[in-house]
Amino acid sequence: QKQTQVSWSNHNRNHRSSHLSRRALTSIGESCFDDGMAAGFSPNWFIAIPIDPEGWFAPTPSPPDGIRLFHQEDLHLTLAFLGSVSEQQARAGWEALRWNLAPTTVTLGAVVPMGAPGRYSALSATLEQGRATIEQAIGACRDAICDAAGARRESRSPKAHITIARPSRNASDSTRAGGLRWAQRIDYHQPSVPLHTIALYTWANDRKVRQFR
C-alpha cells in the first residue's frame, strides 16, 4: 500500500499515531511517498476512509463514453480534503486527525451528482444507514486537520458520499446528461459496507489504472 493507513480497532500502543482515536491504533501500510508525485500533476492530498468494494461494486454497469468509472481500489469516503499542500503539511494534517468512532457499518443509497448544479464533477453513492453519525464525526475533525496542514477549511457542511465515477473535464452537456441517466439506473440495493480504516492519500504515480495511492 502506498498510503499512510491506520486501523480503527487495533490496540498496538507502540505506534506513534495511537492518539488518532481514543483507541490505540497501528499502522498497516505506512510509507514515505518518497518516489515522487505523479508526473504533470499538482500535488493532491486528502484523508479518507478506504471503501471495501466486495459484494456491491462489481455489478456496476459500464458507464457511457466520457464518464470514467473508479478503480475499485480508489473507492473512498473523504474526511478532509487538503489539496495542493506539501507532503510535510499533509502529514501534519494526518497527525492532527482525531477520530473517535468505533469501526462501524453503513449502507449505500442512490448515486447522485456532486458539485456545481448543472455541471457536476462526480457521481457518488450516498449513505443511508449511518450517514448522520459519519457526517457528525467528519464535522468534528475536519477543521483541525485543515488548519494543521495549512489547507483552506471547507465551508460546506459534511456530506458523506463515495464517488464511483467522474465525467471528463471537457465533458459536453450531452455527455453529462448521459452520465446522469446511467447513475439513475444504478441500484446497489443498500449493501452493508464496513468502515474500519483511515488513510492519507495522494495521486498515484501512473494514473492510467488507479487515480490514488
Side-chain angles (χ1 to χ4, degrees):
Q1 294 283 343
K2 286 290 190 177
Q3 57 204 32
T4 297
Q5 191 173 33
V6 292
S7 169
W8 300 2
S9 57
N10 194 293
H11 293 264
N12 181 351
R13 295 186 181 274
N14 294 322
H15 180 52
R16 65 182 178 85
S17 295
S18 62
H19 64 277
L20 298 183
S21 168
R22 289 177 183 172
R23 297 174 180 231
L25 304 174
T26 185
S27 171
I28 60 173
E30 186 167 5
S31 71
C32 294
F33 297 102
D34 56 2
D35 49 355
M37 285 291 132
F41 292 96
S42 298
N44 180 47
W45 296 90
F46 58 94
I47 293 172
I49 300 170
I51 299 299
D52 186 351
E54 185 174 354
W56 66 274
F57 189 63
T60 304
S62 297
D65 290 343
I67 305 294
R68 179 173 182 171
L69 187 68
F70 268 32
H71 188 284
Q72 65 176 15
E73 293 185 25
D74 280 339
L75 297 171
H76 63 273
L77 193 162
T78 299
L79 306 184
F81 179 72
L82 306 178
S84 58
V85 300
S86 67
E87 178 178 340
Q88 182 178 6
Q89 289 174 298
R91 287 186 174 278
W94 170 254
E95 292 296 335
L97 170 64
R98 301 293 185 273
W99 186 259
N100 295 319
L101 291 184
T104 189
T105 299
V106 298
T107 60
L108 303 186
V111 177
V112 300
M114 295 284 177
R119 195 163 181 81
Y120 62 87
S121 59
L123 293 166
S124 305
T126 54
L127 269 57
E128 293 287 340
Q129 178 183 320
R131 177 182 60 82
T133 299
I134 296 297
E135 290 178 350
Q136 183 177 20
I138 293 172
C141 72
R142 188 174 62 182
D143 284 353
I145 294 170
C146 291
D147 289 350
R152 190 168 78 174
R153 288 187 177 188
E154 174 60 70
S155 60
R156 296 168 295 184
S157 298
K159 187 172 185 178
H161 62 278
I162 300 165
T163 293
I164 65 165
R166 289 190 184 277
S168 61
R169 285 189 176 183
N170 299 320
S172 65
D173 290 345
S174 61
T175 295
R176 292 175 186 277
L180 289 177
R181 290 192 295 271
W182 169 77
Q184 291 167 358
R185 295 198 304 268
I186 297 173
D187 185 353
Y188 287 129
H189 303 289
Q190 296 192 359
S192 295
V193 177
L195 306 180
H196 51 72
T197 304
I198 302 175
L200 174 64
Y201 284 86
T202 190
W203 289 130
N205 284 332
D206 183 354
R207 296 179 63 198
K208 293 179 181 178
V209 179
R210 290 191 59 182
Q211 295 287 294
F212 311 113
R213 58 181 171 122

